[in-house]
Amino acid sequence: MRLLALPAVLAGSALLLTACLDVDADITVNSDATATGNMTVAISSEFSGLLGLASGNDLVDQIEQGTLDGAEGVDDLACSPVDREGAVAMNCTFENQAFEEADDLWNIYAGDNGTVTFVTTSGEEVTEEDASLLGDLDFNFGGYDLSVEMPGTITSVEGTNVEQTSDTTFRVQAGLDENFDVVVTSDTGSGGFPTSLIIVLIIAALGIAALVLYFTRRAKKDNGDDTPAIGTEPGPAN
Protein backbone atom coordinates (compact mmCIF):
# COMPACT_ATOMS: atom_id res chain seq x y z
CA MET A 1 0.00 0.00 0.00
CA ARG A 2 1.57 3.23 -1.15
CA LEU A 3 -0.36 5.65 1.00
CA LEU A 4 2.08 8.50 0.53
CA ALA A 5 2.01 8.01 -3.21
CA LEU A 6 -1.74 8.54 -3.33
CA PRO A 7 -1.86 12.29 -2.58
CA ALA A 8 1.20 12.76 -4.77
CA VAL A 9 -0.64 11.22 -7.70
CA LEU A 10 -3.74 13.26 -6.97
CA ALA A 11 -1.81 16.48 -6.71
CA GLY A 12 1.07 15.85 -9.02
CA SER A 13 3.51 17.47 -6.58
CA ALA A 14 5.19 16.92 -3.22
CA LEU A 15 3.77 20.26 -2.11
CA LEU A 16 0.17 19.08 -2.06
CA LEU A 17 1.27 15.76 -0.62
CA THR A 18 2.35 17.40 2.60
CA ALA A 19 -0.04 20.34 2.62
CA CYS A 20 -3.37 18.53 2.32
CA LEU A 21 -2.94 15.15 3.97
CA ASP A 22 -4.41 13.99 7.28
CA VAL A 23 -3.82 10.43 8.47
CA ASP A 24 -5.32 8.89 11.63
CA ALA A 25 -4.57 5.22 12.21
CA ASP A 26 -4.97 2.54 14.86
CA ILE A 27 -2.59 -0.34 14.21
CA THR A 28 -2.07 -3.67 15.92
CA VAL A 29 1.20 -5.31 14.90
CA ASN A 30 1.28 -9.11 14.86
CA SER A 31 4.20 -11.32 15.85
CA ASP A 32 4.77 -12.26 12.17
CA ALA A 33 5.30 -8.57 11.25
CA THR A 34 1.89 -8.14 9.64
CA ALA A 35 -0.68 -5.68 10.98
CA THR A 36 -4.41 -5.33 11.52
CA GLY A 37 -6.23 -2.04 11.96
CA ASN A 38 -7.83 0.91 10.27
CA MET A 39 -6.91 4.36 9.06
CA THR A 40 -8.70 7.45 7.88
CA VAL A 41 -7.15 9.44 5.05
CA ALA A 42 -8.48 12.94 4.44
CA ILE A 43 -7.69 15.64 1.91
CA SER A 44 -8.55 19.25 2.63
CA SER A 45 -11.63 20.44 0.73
CA GLU A 46 -9.62 23.37 -0.61
CA PHE A 47 -7.22 20.99 -2.29
CA SER A 48 -9.68 18.24 -3.18
CA GLY A 49 -11.68 20.81 -5.16
CA LEU A 50 -8.59 21.57 -7.22
CA LEU A 51 -8.23 17.86 -7.87
CA GLY A 52 -11.81 17.32 -8.97
CA LEU A 53 -12.81 15.28 -5.92
CA ALA A 54 -16.21 16.37 -4.69
CA SER A 55 -16.62 13.69 -2.02
CA GLY A 56 -15.12 10.65 -0.38
CA ASN A 57 -17.08 8.54 -2.88
CA ASP A 58 -15.05 10.06 -5.70
CA LEU A 59 -11.82 9.18 -3.94
CA VAL A 60 -12.88 5.58 -3.21
CA ASP A 61 -14.32 5.09 -6.70
CA GLN A 62 -11.11 6.14 -8.40
CA ILE A 63 -9.10 3.80 -6.19
CA GLU A 64 -11.43 0.84 -6.83
CA GLN A 65 -11.44 1.53 -10.57
CA GLY A 66 -7.66 1.67 -10.63
CA THR A 67 -7.65 5.09 -12.27
CA LEU A 68 -5.21 6.54 -9.75
CA ASP A 69 -1.88 5.64 -11.26
CA GLY A 70 0.65 4.93 -8.52
CA ALA A 71 -1.89 4.03 -5.83
CA GLU A 72 -1.26 0.30 -6.15
CA GLY A 73 -1.85 -1.54 -2.91
CA VAL A 74 -4.49 0.87 -1.61
CA ASP A 75 -7.05 -1.00 -3.73
CA ASP A 76 -6.19 -4.16 -1.77
CA LEU A 77 -7.71 -2.59 1.34
CA ALA A 78 -11.39 -2.31 2.25
CA CYS A 79 -12.03 1.42 1.86
CA SER A 80 -15.25 3.36 2.22
CA PRO A 81 -16.08 7.08 2.19
CA VAL A 82 -16.59 8.85 5.50
CA ASP A 83 -17.94 12.26 6.45
CA ARG A 84 -15.24 14.66 7.55
CA GLU A 85 -15.86 18.35 8.04
CA GLY A 86 -13.78 20.42 5.68
CA ALA A 87 -12.35 17.41 3.88
CA VAL A 88 -12.83 14.60 1.41
CA ALA A 89 -12.12 11.44 3.37
CA MET A 90 -12.15 7.67 3.37
CA ASN A 91 -11.57 4.94 5.96
CA CYS A 92 -9.60 1.82 5.09
CA THR A 93 -9.34 -1.37 7.10
CA PHE A 94 -6.68 -4.04 6.85
CA GLU A 95 -6.18 -7.45 8.42
CA ASN A 96 -2.89 -9.35 8.68
CA GLN A 97 -1.46 -7.03 6.03
CA ALA A 98 2.25 -6.89 5.24
CA PHE A 99 3.82 -3.42 4.97
CA GLU A 100 7.12 -3.98 3.20
CA GLU A 101 7.14 -1.51 0.31
CA ALA A 102 9.76 1.22 0.51
CA ASP A 103 7.19 4.00 0.05
CA ASP A 104 4.55 2.75 2.48
CA LEU A 105 3.59 5.22 5.19
CA TRP A 106 4.97 2.70 7.67
CA ASN A 107 7.04 -0.47 7.37
CA ILE A 108 7.11 -3.51 9.62
CA TYR A 109 10.01 -5.96 9.67
CA ALA A 110 10.67 -9.22 11.51
CA GLY A 111 14.16 -9.57 12.96
CA ASP A 112 16.25 -12.73 13.20
CA ASN A 113 16.49 -12.37 16.98
CA GLY A 114 12.79 -12.67 17.77
CA THR A 115 11.98 -8.98 17.36
CA VAL A 116 9.58 -6.88 15.30
CA THR A 117 10.45 -3.35 14.16
CA PHE A 118 7.99 -0.63 13.13
CA VAL A 119 9.36 2.24 11.02
CA THR A 120 7.60 5.38 9.82
CA THR A 121 8.78 8.72 8.44
CA SER A 122 7.14 11.94 7.29
CA GLY A 123 7.01 13.29 3.77
CA GLU A 124 8.66 16.43 2.48
CA GLU A 125 8.20 19.58 4.51
CA VAL A 126 6.29 22.46 2.93
CA THR A 127 8.52 25.48 2.53
CA GLU A 128 7.37 29.11 2.68
CA GLU A 129 8.35 29.50 -0.96
CA ASP A 130 6.18 26.54 -1.99
CA ALA A 131 3.27 27.73 0.13
CA SER A 132 3.35 31.15 -1.51
CA LEU A 133 2.64 29.50 -4.86
CA LEU A 134 -0.85 28.57 -3.68
CA GLY A 135 -1.79 31.89 -2.17
CA ASP A 136 -4.11 31.89 0.82
CA LEU A 137 -4.91 28.17 0.92
CA ASP A 138 -4.87 26.70 4.43
CA PHE A 139 -1.72 24.72 5.21
CA ASN A 140 -2.77 24.02 8.79
CA PHE A 141 -5.07 21.15 7.86
CA GLY A 142 -4.41 17.72 9.25
CA GLY A 143 -1.27 15.90 10.26
CA TYR A 144 -0.30 12.43 11.40
CA ASP A 145 -1.72 10.56 14.39
CA LEU A 146 -0.74 6.90 14.61
CA SER A 147 -1.56 4.70 17.63
CA VAL A 148 0.33 1.42 17.51
CA GLU A 149 0.25 -1.71 19.65
CA MET A 150 3.30 -3.96 19.28
CA PRO A 151 3.12 -7.76 19.72
CA GLY A 152 5.35 -7.80 22.79
CA THR A 153 7.29 -5.63 25.20
CA ILE A 154 8.86 -2.59 23.53
CA THR A 155 12.65 -2.69 23.84
CA SER A 156 13.64 0.40 21.88
CA VAL A 157 12.04 3.72 20.87
CA GLU A 158 13.98 6.09 18.61
CA GLY A 159 13.07 9.22 16.70
CA THR A 160 10.99 12.37 17.08
CA ASN A 161 7.29 13.00 17.69
CA VAL A 162 6.90 9.57 19.28
CA GLU A 163 5.76 8.72 22.81
CA GLN A 164 5.70 5.27 24.40
CA THR A 165 2.31 5.00 26.12
CA SER A 166 2.66 1.57 27.75
CA ASP A 167 4.92 -1.50 27.75
CA THR A 168 3.53 -2.49 24.35
CA THR A 169 2.08 0.69 22.79
CA PHE A 170 3.26 4.00 21.38
CA ARG A 171 1.85 7.02 19.56
CA VAL A 172 3.20 9.19 16.76
CA GLN A 173 1.79 12.70 16.41
CA ALA A 174 3.06 15.34 14.03
CA GLY A 175 1.83 18.39 12.20
CA LEU A 176 2.22 18.87 8.49
CA ASP A 177 5.10 21.28 9.12
CA GLU A 178 7.06 18.73 11.15
CA ASN A 179 9.46 16.07 9.99
CA PHE A 180 9.58 12.84 11.94
CA ASP A 181 11.53 9.60 11.72
CA VAL A 182 10.40 6.84 14.09
CA VAL A 183 11.85 3.38 14.75
CA VAL A 184 10.28 1.19 17.45
CA THR A 185 11.35 -2.38 18.25
CA SER A 186 9.65 -4.97 20.46
CA ASP A 187 9.90 -8.67 21.10
CA THR A 188 7.38 -10.84 19.28
CA GLY A 189 5.43 -11.74 22.40
CA SER A 190 5.86 -15.41 21.57
CA GLY A 191 9.54 -15.95 22.23
CA GLY A 192 9.18 -17.81 25.51
CA PHE A 193 9.35 -16.76 29.15
CA PRO A 194 11.03 -13.53 30.18
CA THR A 195 14.55 -13.98 31.56
CA SER A 196 13.51 -12.86 35.04
CA LEU A 197 10.76 -15.48 35.18
CA ILE A 198 13.15 -18.19 34.02
CA ILE A 199 15.56 -17.28 36.84
CA VAL A 200 12.75 -17.44 39.40
CA LEU A 201 11.65 -20.83 38.12
CA ILE A 202 15.21 -22.19 38.28
CA ILE A 203 15.62 -20.97 41.88
CA ALA A 204 12.29 -22.52 42.83
CA ALA A 205 13.23 -25.83 41.22
CA LEU A 206 16.57 -25.91 43.05
CA GLY A 207 14.81 -25.16 46.33
CA ILE A 208 12.35 -28.00 45.82
CA ALA A 209 15.16 -30.39 44.91
CA ALA A 210 17.07 -29.42 48.06
CA LEU A 211 14.00 -30.03 50.24
CA VAL A 212 13.37 -33.42 48.66
CA LEU A 213 17.00 -34.42 49.21
CA TYR A 214 16.92 -33.22 52.83
CA PHE A 215 13.78 -35.16 53.76
CA THR A 216 14.98 -38.25 51.90
CA ARG A 217 18.25 -38.33 53.86
CA ARG A 218 16.43 -37.65 57.13
CA ALA A 219 14.02 -40.51 56.48
CA LYS A 220 16.91 -42.87 55.78
CA LYS A 221 18.68 -41.78 58.97
CA ASP A 222 15.56 -42.28 61.07
CA ASN A 223 15.03 -45.72 59.60
CA GLY A 224 18.68 -46.62 60.25
CA ASP A 225 18.40 -45.83 64.01
CA ASP A 226 15.56 -48.39 64.42
CA THR A 227 17.14 -51.17 62.34
CA PRO A 228 19.33 -53.80 64.17
CA ALA A 229 22.89 -54.14 63.02
CA ILE A 230 23.68 -57.12 60.78
CA GLY A 231 24.62 -60.30 62.70
CA THR A 232 22.89 -59.37 65.95
CA GLU A 233 19.68 -60.67 67.43
CA PRO A 234 16.97 -58.41 68.57
CA GLY A 235 16.84 -58.09 72.35
CA PRO A 236 14.14 -59.85 74.33
CA ALA A 237 10.94 -58.02 74.58
CA ASN A 238 10.18 -56.61 78.03
Side-chain angles (χ1 to χ4, degrees):
M1 179 196 63
R2 295 174 176 84
L3 183 59
L4 283 180
L6 174 59
V9 171
L10 291 171
S13 73
L15 171 59
L16 292 189
L17 168 63
T18 54
C20 68
L21 181 66
D22 183 54
V23 178
D24 294 296
D26 289 299
I27 307 160
T28 299
V29 179
N30 303 317
S31 59
D32 62 355
T34 61
T36 296
N38 70 88
M39 63 181 172
T40 299
V41 180
I43 301 173
S44 168
S45 295
E46 291 186 293
F47 289 96
S48 62
L50 295 176
L51 305 173
L53 298 172
S55 68
N57 284 303
D58 294 340
L59 179 58
V60 173
D61 287 346
Q62 290 193 40
I63 290 175
E64 291 180 346
Q65 294 167 12
T67 57
L68 293 180
D69 207 13
E72 295 84 359
V74 178
D75 53 354
D76 293 334
L77 307 183
C79 298
S80 58
V82 294
D83 293 330
R84 184 79 170 266
E85 184 178 356
V88 166
M90 66 178 181
N91 180 264
C92 298
T93 60
F94 46 93
E95 184 174 1
N96 302 326
Q97 179 88 17
F99 294 91
E100 300 173 337
E101 298 294 332
D103 49 3
D104 284 346
L105 179 58
W106 55 76
N107 296 114
I108 307 172
Y109 305 104
D112 296 331
N113 55 347
T115 62
V116 174
T117 298
F118 183 101
V119 180
T120 186
T121 61
S122 60
E124 297 181 34
E125 187 173 348
V126 179
T127 66
E128 292 183 6
E129 180 180 358
D130 288 334
S132 66
L133 298 177
L134 296 176
D136 296 329
L137 292 178
D138 183 10
F139 280 81
N140 294 319
F141 174 84
Y144 302 92
D145 191 343
L146 312 180
S147 296
V148 184
E149 180 173 3
M150 298 296 283
T153 301
I154 293 174
T155 58
S156 175
V157 177
E158 301 177 6
T160 59
N161 298 86
V162 57
E163 177 187 6
Q164 183 173 342
T165 51
S166 76
D167 289 343
T168 59
T169 61
F170 67 93
R171 187 176 186 182
V172 179
Q173 291 181 292
L176 296 176
D177 59 347
E178 296 177 285
N179 286 331
F180 61 88
D181 189 351
V182 175
V183 180
V184 177
T185 300
S186 80
D187 60 46
T188 61
S190 59
F193 293 107
T195 301
S196 58
L197 181 57
I198 292 175
I199 294 174
V200 171
L201 291 176
I202 291 175
I203 293 174
L206 291 174
I208 293 173
L211 287 173
V212 170
L213 180 61
Y214 169 77
F215 285 113
T216 299
R217 289 181 175 178
R218 181 172 179 177
K220 288 182 177 180
K221 182 179 180 181
D222 292 343
N223 290 335
D225 291 343
D226 296 334
T227 303
I230 297 176
T232 63
E233 295 294 334
N238 294 329

